[in-house]
Each structure stands twice: as structure tokens, then as C-alpha cells.
Amino acid sequence: MDNSPAGASPSRACSGRREWAPRIWEGCDFFAWARLLVRNRLAVDPRHLYIAFIITIVSLVHTVLRLIQEAFYGDRIRRTVIREDPIFIIGHWRTGTTLLHELLILDDRHSYPTTYECLEPNHFLLTEKLFTRLFRFLMPSRRPMDNMAAGWDRPQEDEFALCMLGEPSPYLTIAFPNHPPQDTEYFDLEGVSAQARERWKRSFYSFLQRITLRNPKRLVLKSPTHTCRVKTLLELFRDARFVHIVRDPYVVFPSTMNLWKSLYTTHGLQKPRFEWLQEYVLRCFTLLYRKLDEARPQVPLGRFHEIRYEDLVRDPLGEMELLYERLDLDNFEQVRPRIEEYLTRNAGYQTNRYDTIAPDLRQEITRRWGDIIHRYGYEDAAAPVRPSTPTEAPAAVAEVAAVSS
């Protein structure tokens, strides 16, 4: 895969034009990057050594820019008040969390972290306007895992920002995919020391302060890892709202496998072998739902709403109106025209479809995920079919949710 310059990785958009994208680790400051290398014993594949060298140089630049941003904005960041508690979109990877993110940020009362801010959290207040213009060519117009639109200004998972800031995260596994999964205790933060937990909370809150300083509106945040962290998030934001989306597990499994394989191949510093990936996907699914079930009783009444992806695709306007009603967001009629325009603009998007799951694997999924399959009524779900036969998504929404999550 990796004959691309400057550590970039090729992808192909619909037009067939070859494009380039930087490794996500090129957003780390030097200390975050050094810790990642040391803890993985510098186990960079020889053909990726030049990428590691480039990231090292770039990380030094990020460190200097972070210090400059702190000098200019530090006091203002610390004084920034997050007046309205965020809306958190939670759910397993590939269940449609990004579709919900895209729809909720159409409300001009809402704000969100952009891809640039999540990949360059150390200095985006200082550099975002200039760098997104200068380095527009580094961001592909389409994402490698699902051919969805990409761009510096598109909404992004805040978990990537935590990685760039040097916080432990399960996403660090992407860098060294042949090593055991990293920082799994940071899924729910319950197995880390009180000091480490408080440090994570401070880092996360400070990042949100920076986003709020840029745009003081209610934040809409999306990260599947937050599904495990509802208890911790409520400590920071007691009045936070949570939207949980679910999708057919027999579709989620192959789609999640495809997601991680794509990320490990595109952004890893080793040639991935995927030896433990299937078991990892099976365990993470169980963990996310178990931790969410434990936390749900602690969420205040009227602050949690659940939605099925299939219902959202079938009737996006109706489901969004219900979401606004259940979470007491008000003024849906002002947002309706924007959602209608968005749906029209994205009509006709072709979804990925996946190889039929082997009978023994389907049986294992049913055995281990059976409680969730039964709870949400997916017992009779049809087996997925080959990805080489794309079909149009149902309804006008056109499954924009085939994005990262």
C-alpha cells in the first residue's frame, strides 16, 4: 500500500482520481508521538520508517505552535464557559452515528468539532483558517473505508483529538495494529487510577473549551467510545443529552471489520495481520452495550433517546422530529427545511454491502450478541451480501451513515 509520499496514503474517489491523505499521527505533538513510539518499542515496519521520520519532524512543529497558542489564547481558553451541556451521539461503530451527527449539526444553534480541530487540537485556534487553505490537497474528498465525503471542515470524532493531545485511547491501536489492543481500560475509564481519570476529564473538557471559544453554541459530539463513558460524561455535564443509535448486528459486524482493516492499513505503521481483530470486534460490541446498560439509570429523565438506524433511513424527518421532541430541543420546524435540503442533496448515495457471513461465524455472533439482537428485534435480519454489488440506499437519506461510525 505505502509507496505514497510524505506518509500519505492513496484512496480513490468516485471519479477514479488518485488522492493523498496524511497519517492521522501527523497531528500529534512531539511528546504524544514519543510516548506512542516508546510504548510500542519503536516497532515501525521498515518500509514505514520514512513516515515515522516525517511525523517526528512535524510533531516538533506542532509542539511549538501549541506553545504559541497557549501564549495567545491560554487565559481565554481557561475562562471559557460551556453554557449548554453537549448532545452526545453514542452507539457502536457503523451504526449510523455519523448520519445523526450530520443531521443534528444542520441546526444553526449547534456546533461541532471539525476534522481539522480533531486532528490538530494543539493549535487549531491559531492555524485553522490558514492551514486548511494551504493544506487542502492533503485531505481526500472521499474516505477510504466507505467513499463518503471528507474534508477539513466536516464533523469528526473527538476521540482523535484526545489521541493527538497524548491521552491514552483505544484508537492508538491503529498505529501498531499487530500489537495487542491498547488502552482498553480507557473505553470506560473505570479501571484507571483516580489521577489518570481526572487528567482525562481535564484534557477532554479543555478541548471542548477551545471548540466553544471558537463557536459558543451547544456542542454535538460523536464518538462510539463515549458509549462506555456515560457515567464519566455525566460527571462533567449533568444535563447532557444522549442519542443512542442501533443497527442490525449482522450488518454491523462485517462493516466494523472493514472499518478497522481500512484504518489499520491506511494509518498503521505496520503491515497489519488482523490476527486478533475478529475477537476484538466481538468483545467490544458486548462491552459497549454492557457499559451503556449500567449507566442508563443515571441519565436524567428526558435526556436519553434511542433510535434504530433502519427507522432513521426509512423516515428521517419523522425520526428527527421525534428526537427533538424526546430530548426537548424545540424549534424542529426551523430545522426541517435544512434536513430536507440535505436529504435531497445526498439522495442516491450507494451503500457498501458485505460478503455473506459464514454460517459458523453467524452462529457465533448470535451466541455472543444474542441479547442485543433479540432486544432490538433483529432475529430475522437477512445476511449481508457482497460489497461488490452496491445498491441504492432506501429513502432520500441515502445512508449517509455508512461513514465512520
Side-chain angles (χ1 to χ4, degrees):
M1 157 200 107
D2 210 280
N3 295 319
S4 45
S9 55
S11 64
R12 289 192 179 274
C14 291
S15 64
R17 182 169 61 90
R18 192 178 184 90
E19 299 190 20
W20 308 96
R23 289 298 202 284
I24 54 179
W25 317 113
E26 290 175 26
C28 291
D29 73 5
F30 176 76
F31 301 102
W33 171 239
R35 282 194 295 272
L36 181 60
L37 285 178
V38 170
R39 71 181 299 187
N40 286 280
R41 303 180 300 280
L42 306 177
V44 179
D45 188 287
R47 66 178 186 149
H48 294 339
L49 285 173
Y50 75 98
I51 298 172
F53 175 76
I54 291 170
I55 295 174
T56 302
I57 300 301
V58 172
S59 72
L60 292 169
V61 176
H62 293 321
T63 305
V64 172
L65 290 173
R66 176 173 59 80
L67 294 173
I68 296 173
Q69 176 173 279
E70 174 63 22
F72 277 90
Y73 291 98
D75 288 342
R76 292 176 60 189
I77 293 169
R78 286 183 285 274
R79 291 198 305 267
T80 297
V81 177
I82 300 175
R83 301 189 183 281
E84 293 187 283
D85 287 356
I87 300 169
F88 289 95
I89 298 168
I90 57 176
H92 195 277
W93 296 269
R94 313 302 292 166
T95 55
T97 55
T98 303
L99 170 59
L100 273 177
H101 209 185
E102 294 269 359
L103 293 174
L104 278 168
I105 65 172
L106 295 172
D107 191 329
D108 60 11
R109 297 172 299 169
H110 296 161
S111 178
Y112 61 92
T114 67
T115 295
Y116 184 82
E117 290 157 357
C118 289
L119 297 184
E120 302 291 356
N122 291 288
H123 53 74
F124 68 81
L125 290 172
L126 193 69
T127 62
E128 184 167 14
K129 289 183 179 179
L130 176 62
F131 281 19
T132 53
R133 294 175 184 172
L134 288 178
F135 301 114
R136 186 177 302 168
F137 67 95
L138 290 176
M139 178 60 62
S141 62
R142 299 283 167 179
R143 296 153 36 107
M145 75 284 291
D146 51 29
N147 204 36
M148 284 301 303
W152 289 122
D153 61 342
R154 305 288 289 188
Q156 187 55 264
E157 292 184 33
D158 48 86
E159 190 73 17
F160 288 111
L162 293 170
C163 293
M164 302 307 109
L165 291 167
E167 290 300 319
S169 167
Y171 281 18
L172 295 178
T173 302
I174 298 169
F176 292 92
N178 294 330
H179 289 183
Q182 298 191 29
D183 297 322
T184 54
E185 68 274 20
Y186 278 82
F187 271 117
D188 60 13
L189 298 163
E190 294 176 18
V192 304
S193 68
Q195 183 180 13
R197 194 162 179 265
E198 289 303 313
R199 184 172 61 245
W200 184 95
K201 288 163 66 175
R202 286 195 303 271
S203 182
F204 180 57
Y205 192 84
S206 176
F207 174 67
L208 300 188
Q209 285 178 302
R210 281 169 256 177
I211 301 291
T212 302
L213 177 58
R214 175 188 61 83
N215 188 348
K217 297 179 180 180
R218 186 200 296 274
L219 284 162
V220 180
L221 303 170
K222 185 269 294 191
S223 180
T225 47
H226 290 332
T227 312
C228 293
R229 299 173 181 154
V230 171
K231 292 179 183 178
T232 300
L233 297 174
L234 285 172
E235 294 173 9
L236 288 168
F237 304 105
R238 186 57 191 164
D239 197 42
R241 290 161 167 82
F242 297 90
V243 187
H244 177 227
I245 186 166
V246 298
R247 188 181 186 183
D248 177 3
Y250 297 113
V251 173
V252 167
F253 178 83
S255 187
T256 304
M257 290 287 291
N258 181 64
L259 167 70
W260 292 128
K261 285 181 178 180
S262 175
L263 289 174
Y264 295 168
T265 301
T266 305
H267 295 284
L269 299 170
Q270 299 171 324
K271 183 178 180 180
R273 297 190 296 267
F274 311 122
E275 294 172 331
W276 45 260
L277 182 57
Q278 179 173 301
E279 179 63 21
Y280 181 69
V281 171
L282 289 167
R283 288 187 178 183
C284 283
F285 184 97
T286 303
L287 175 67
L288 262 64
Y289 282 95
R290 176 164 55 86
K291 290 300 176 181
L292 180 60
D293 285 346
E294 292 175 4
R296 280 183 67 166
Q298 299 184 20
V299 182
L301 187 66
R303 293 296 180 260
F304 187 95
H305 178 62
E306 202 161 59
I307 186 172
R308 280 176 34 127
Y309 164 81
E310 292 80 5
D311 296 333
L312 182 62
V313 169
R314 175 182 52 80
D315 181 16
L317 284 169
E319 291 297 323
M320 289 302 294
E321 184 173 12
L322 180 62
L323 184 156
Y324 268 65
E325 177 186 331
R326 294 284 173 83
L327 293 182
D328 194 25
L329 295 178
D330 299 328
N331 299 322
F332 177 75
E333 291 306 315
Q334 295 182 16
V335 185
R336 181 189 294 271
R338 296 189 182 93
I339 296 178
E340 291 174 336
E341 191 270 334
Y342 175 88
L343 297 176
T344 300
R345 188 171 66 248
N346 288 283
Y349 174 81
Q350 292 188 329
T351 70
N352 287 337
R353 306 189 67 182
Y354 298 93
D355 288 323
T356 302
I357 298 175
D360 57 341
L361 178 55
R362 186 177 177 88
Q363 185 177 12
E364 182 70 0
I365 293 170
T366 303
R367 183 181 71 84
R368 297 176 65 168
W369 297 0
D371 289 347
I372 301 304
I373 291 169
H374 176 73
R375 181 190 304 178
Y376 295 106
Y378 290 113
E379 296 96 330
D380 300 323
V385 295
R386 294 188 59 81
S388 56
T389 1
T391 61
E392 271 197 23
V397 71
E399 200 199 349
V400 181
V403 260
S404 117
S405 305

